[in-house]
Amino acid sequence: MKLQLLSLALITTAGMTAATISSPDSKLVVTTDLSGGKPVYSVSYDGKPIIMESPLGFDTNIGDFTKGLTLVGEKTGVVNKSFEQGKIKKSHIDYNANQLIAEYKNAKGQKMSIEWLVSDNDIAFRYLIPAEGDTRSLIIEKEATGYRFPDFTTTFLTPQSDAMIGWKRTKPSYEEHYKADAKMDEPSQYGHGYTFPALFHVGDNGWALLTETGVDGYFCGSRLSDYTDGVYTIAYPMPEENNGNGSANPAIGLPGKTPWRTITVGSTLKPIVETTIPWNVVEPLYTATEPVKPGRGTWSWILWQDPSINYDDQIKYIDFAAAMGYENVLIDNWWDTNIGKDGIAKLARYAQSKGVNLLIWYSSSGWWNDIEQGPTNIMSRPIPRKEEFKWLQSLGIKGIKVDFFGGDKQETMRLYEDILSDANDYGISVIFHGCTMPRGWERMYPNYVGSEAVLASENLVFGQNFCDNAAFNASLHPFIRNAAGCMEFGGTVLNHRLNRGNDGGTTRATSDAFELATAILFQNPVQNFALAPNNLTDAPEAAIEFMKAVPTTWNETVFIDGYPGKYVILARRHADKWYIAGVSANKEPLKLKLDLPMLQKDQMVTVYAEDGKKPLEAKELKIKKPESVAMELNNNGGFIIVADAK
Ligand code: CA
């Protein structure tokens, strides 16, 4: 890891208000200015406007930094950084950005700086607040930071829900529907704006993905307001979140800073899908006590539901995981009542004898929802939490899933961080469900291995409508939710009916090849697939063989083709193999000519696809023209090409 600040030159700014900062390739340009004492910025790409003049600044309990500002000085520099990261879409990252720090003074003479980092397709910016006088803390009452897109822009957004609604009053939990290509002035479903990440199609000018990173226990998670007076503004949590516990506004110790807000920009969707900005501008906050083992697993709860949380059914799933060569089995809610600690100890020993690790479920609560599924009241406070981790460690259990958090308040961010930090002391890695989206956490917290924060596979069981819309959702995530953070979806269903007997409940609408493709498209370092023991005999043999060998970590991710909500094709490389995967929600079959630069002329590859109504097969194919590989993609269908890397 190398962090270099090559030059930090102070520019004299007497009488100046404007400054421009460009990416190393000069295509992405941020212009900052003061408009009547109010800080503003705009963004263009390749000479075309992406974000029009938009507000910056924030108002605090000690002073207002939204107006009456003068520019005190500016420093420019360069950030060049290289690092390895095993849990995201890419393993080696080179980050090269130009830096601008603009320092302002408000009417009371209080100072604040805005730091900008602009790389070829990404902008990251944050506010820096010094300690002055006797003041060592402040509360941000309102942030002015906004995003004003050209009026022809369309949106791909998911709304923030009301607080304290839904299952056992657990929302908001980033489990809402997306609208594709919506107009900006369409009101949000609940009237509380939208959660990050947020994708905008700025017509022919390009695309922009907004999110934030570096959020830890020192700040709340933020979101976008509704579109008001032509602008989306940063909004903080609602006071009702987390059962009203904890303040809605962030409090900062001084000197202090806000999280990075990021804008990924491109003329195509390629930079959106491939961005690593959430990880480029953060650093690990501690060292892992145990190396995190990415891995595949399965879990009885997804298809067999609550009645399967018993000793005998868990043995069946451990045997199934062993037969698949999988590393993990997740034991979901109610194990405390239905299996008990002695039973878990026996299961852990049995699993270890089969080369399988257990992941164990907990509720985060607590006094912030009505969850009764146990165990509760363990992860909420450090004393029982650390006792529990000591017990898990004594059994050799190295992973937990913690569910049902209380929103985005700073207090809740502190709970996420506390759980991660305590778990790390006992060599335990952590998956979050019923939760917020990660904000740089793959890099910040070495034992963090995934978040739900999406309408995940459980909804396939809960409602037919979700099965019918699975392809639409799958065609969105690589461009939005999963572009900004790992996504523990729990997918790849090979049952045709989503119940224990594969004979009732909801009906899967997607093909087997589609399901295999999502194992590649949905990125999370720990995958809990929605497979069942019966799939060993009732699923196509090629599908099972593929799922036995599928990796969960990636050296490279390359966008090939697609449009959010319609279809998506990505190539991901694991070691010496490329996996090129596509799915489609397009009503008509798509006849595509794919440019696959990772393949060579006359290379033999393996294609997993359906041929009409025939079951999925693995077929060998010779690539004639890598720059134009014909592929037909049906509605609710998919394909995968597996090829040796050059
Ligand atoms: Ca959930």
Side-chain angles (χ1 to χ4, degrees):
M1 190 184 67
K2 195 175 64 171
L3 176 65
Q4 267 189 313
L5 227 53
L6 289 183
S7 66
L8 210 59
L10 185 73
I11 299 168
T12 319
T13 53
M16 279 173 58
T17 60
T20 291
I21 173 168
S22 307
S23 57
D25 71 0
S26 304
K27 286 187 179 174
L28 182 57
V29 178
V30 177
T31 304
T32 71
D33 203 352
L34 284 172
S35 170
K38 294 180 177 179
V40 293
Y41 77 107
S42 58
V43 176
S44 68
Y45 189 79
D46 234 352
K48 295 173 188 159
I50 298 292
I51 295 180
M52 326 284 282
E53 188 174 285
S54 299
L56 292 165
F58 53 91
D59 192 9
T60 77
N61 63 326
I62 61 159
D64 188 353
F65 297 93
T66 64
K67 55 180 191 272
L69 300 192
T70 50
L71 188 63
V72 178
E74 285 175 342
K75 293 171 190 167
T76 59
V78 178
V79 174
N80 297 307
K81 182 179 174 182
S82 294
F83 61 96
E84 308 294 322
Q85 186 64 61
K87 293 184 285 184
I88 60 169
K89 61 184 90 166
K90 198 176 175 188
S91 61
H92 176 85
I93 292 110
D94 295 313
Y95 177 59
N96 302 298
N98 290 326
Q99 183 193 41
L100 170 73
I101 300 175
E103 191 179 40
Y104 303 91
K105 202 163 66 178
N106 69 7
K108 286 160 81 175
Q110 296 165 315
K111 282 179 183 163
M112 172 276 279
S113 298
I114 307 178
E115 179 177 7
W116 297 89
L117 294 175
V118 181
S119 50
D120 281 350
N121 291 96
D122 297 288
I123 299 162
F125 66 99
R126 64 178 175 180
Y127 302 105
L128 308 170
I129 309 137
E132 291 181 293
D134 294 333
T135 309
R136 287 296 178 273
S137 72
L138 63 74
I139 295 164
I140 303 186
E141 286 167 351
K142 194 163 175 25
E143 208 171 307
T145 312
Y147 309 87
R148 188 185 300 276
F149 290 97
D151 56 12
F152 50 83
T153 300
T154 58
T155 72
F156 298 76
L157 302 173
T158 187
Q160 175 64 313
S161 92
D162 289 329
M164 306 306 292
I165 63 161
W167 173 252
K168 306 285 182 187
R169 299 195 304 148
T170 53
K171 286 190 178 190
S173 51
Y174 288 60
E175 292 169 292
E176 307 300 327
H177 293 278
Y178 281 85
K179 275 190 186 167
D181 262 326
K183 289 205 169 76
M184 289 194 290
D185 56 8
E186 237 179 75
S188 68
Q189 186 183 344
Y190 299 91
H192 305 303
Y194 306 92
T195 53
F196 284 128
L199 180 65
F200 295 84
H201 188 188
V202 193
D204 294 339
N205 296 9
W207 293 83
L209 183 75
L210 308 182
T211 190
E212 61 174 356
T213 187
V215 180
D216 56 17
Y218 291 101
F219 213 84
C220 60
S222 302
R223 67 179 198 281
L224 291 181
S225 72
D226 263 302
Y227 185 67
T228 309
D229 299 329
V231 66
Y232 296 93
T233 307
I234 289 285
Y236 293 148
M238 301 167 283
E240 299 79 14
E241 286 177 36
N242 203 41
N243 211 11
N245 298 298
S247 66
N249 290 62
I252 303 183
L254 299 178
K257 56 189 186 290
T258 62
W260 293 103
R261 304 280 163 47
T262 67
I263 309 168
T264 300
V265 181
S267 51
T268 70
L269 287 154
K270 186 176 168 68
I272 307 289
V273 171
E274 297 178 12
T275 185
T276 55
I277 191 66
W279 309 283
N280 297 350
V281 292
V282 300
E283 294 293 330
L285 298 177
Y286 51 77
T287 310
T289 50
E290 284 263 345
V292 167
K293 281 206 191 114
R296 297 82 46 85
T298 181
W299 47 319
S300 72
W301 183 84
I302 185 61
L303 293 174
W304 296 6
Q305 298 277 287
D306 284 355
S308 71
I309 308 303
N310 63 71
Y311 185 86
D312 292 343
D313 282 344
Q314 295 312 311
I315 292 282
K316 292 190 180 96
Y317 264 77
I318 291 166
D319 289 343
F320 174 47
M324 293 297 293
Y326 283 179
E327 292 79 10
N328 302 319
V329 159
L330 165 66
I331 302 183
D332 218 280
N333 64 185
W334 288 124
W335 62 262
D336 55 336
T337 309
N338 298 339
I339 298 174
K341 282 195 153 182
D342 291 346
I344 291 289
K346 270 169 71 183
L347 286 171
R349 282 195 297 275
Y350 181 75
Q352 282 149 13
S353 77
K354 296 265 175 176
V356 174
N357 294 306
L358 297 187
L359 309 177
I360 305 288
W361 187 96
Y362 291 89
S363 167
S364 91
S365 57
W367 48 94
W368 39 88
N369 58 41
D370 297 327
I371 286 299
E372 53 181 339
Q373 289 106 310
T376 58
N377 295 305
I378 293 176
M379 290 298 137
S380 49
R381 291 171 303 135
I383 295 168
R385 189 165 61 218
K386 288 194 278 191
E387 280 301 308
E388 192 78 359
F389 290 155
K390 205 181 293 175
W391 171 67
L392 292 172
Q393 189 182 42
S394 77
L395 303 181
I397 292 174
K398 294 192 168 68
I400 57 170
K401 166 181 171 179
V402 189
D403 210 338
F404 300 126
F405 285 82
D408 285 336
K409 284 181 176 176
Q410 187 167 357
E411 173 152 319
T412 307
M413 295 295 150
R414 198 152 56 85
L415 179 63
Y416 287 112
E417 185 168 79
D418 289 351
I419 292 171
L420 286 163
S421 172
D422 284 351
N424 185 59
D425 290 348
Y426 296 88
I428 293 167
S429 50
V430 186
I431 296 168
F432 295 125
H433 267 235
C435 58
T436 195
M437 64 155 268
R439 290 160 163 92
W441 296 359
E442 296 86 343
R443 180 153 177 77
M444 292 158 64
Y445 304 108
N447 59 323
Y448 164 82
V449 289
S451 295
E452 183 183 36
V454 64
L455 278 169
S457 61
E458 61 190 5
N459 296 282
L460 297 165
V461 179
F462 298 157
Q464 187 59 41
N465 184 45
F466 195 85
C467 293
D468 298 340
N469 285 314
F472 169 72
N473 287 312
S475 307
L476 287 171
H477 298 320
F479 300 103
I480 311 174
R481 166 67 184 83
N482 211 186
C486 64
M487 182 176 85
E488 219 278 295
F489 189 87
T492 306
V493 186
L494 290 175
N495 267 23
H496 289 285
R497 302 297 301 272
L498 281 86
N499 74 340
R500 181 164 182 152
N502 199 6
D503 57 1
T506 55
T507 304
R508 173 157 62 93
T510 55
S511 77
D512 289 341
F514 176 104
E515 293 297 315
L516 302 192
T518 63
I520 308 299
L521 294 173
F522 297 170
Q523 182 268 322
N524 200 76
V526 172
Q527 295 262 29
N528 291 300
F529 295 119
L531 301 175
N534 52 286
N535 296 147
L536 286 173
T537 49
D538 64 13
E541 198 186 327
I544 291 296
E545 292 310 310
F546 177 86
M547 290 308 295
K548 282 180 177 173
V550 71
T552 65
T553 56
W554 305 107
N555 298 99
E556 287 181 73
T557 291
V558 179
F559 172 67
I560 303 293
D561 197 2
Y563 190 92
K566 292 184 177 165
Y567 71 108
V568 60
I569 297 153
L570 306 187
R572 297 198 201 265
R573 182 175 65 80
H574 174 89
D576 58 358
K577 279 213 176 351
W578 281 103
Y579 293 77
I580 302 154
V583 295
S584 174
N586 207 61
K587 290 282 169 280
E588 302 301 320
L590 291 169
K591 285 189 167 49
L592 302 166
K593 296 268 190 219
L594 303 176
D595 182 7
L596 302 174
M598 59 286 301
L599 302 184
Q600 284 170 308
K601 186 169 163 22
D602 295 333
Q603 184 175 0
M604 291 303 295
V605 301
T606 309
V607 181
Y608 294 79
E610 281 105 2
D611 184 0
K613 285 207 154 56
K614 280 191 256 169
L616 176 120
E617 279 186 322
K619 282 187 182 160
E620 301 305 305
L621 179 80
K622 190 189 240 184
I623 297 294
K624 289 188 195 119
K625 284 163 80 183
E627 68 281 9
S628 180
V629 178
M631 192 60 68
E632 192 166 322
L633 201 44
N634 292 321
N635 183 26
N636 291 325
F639 74 88
I640 298 144
I641 300 170
V642 182
D644 289 337
K646 281 174 202 170

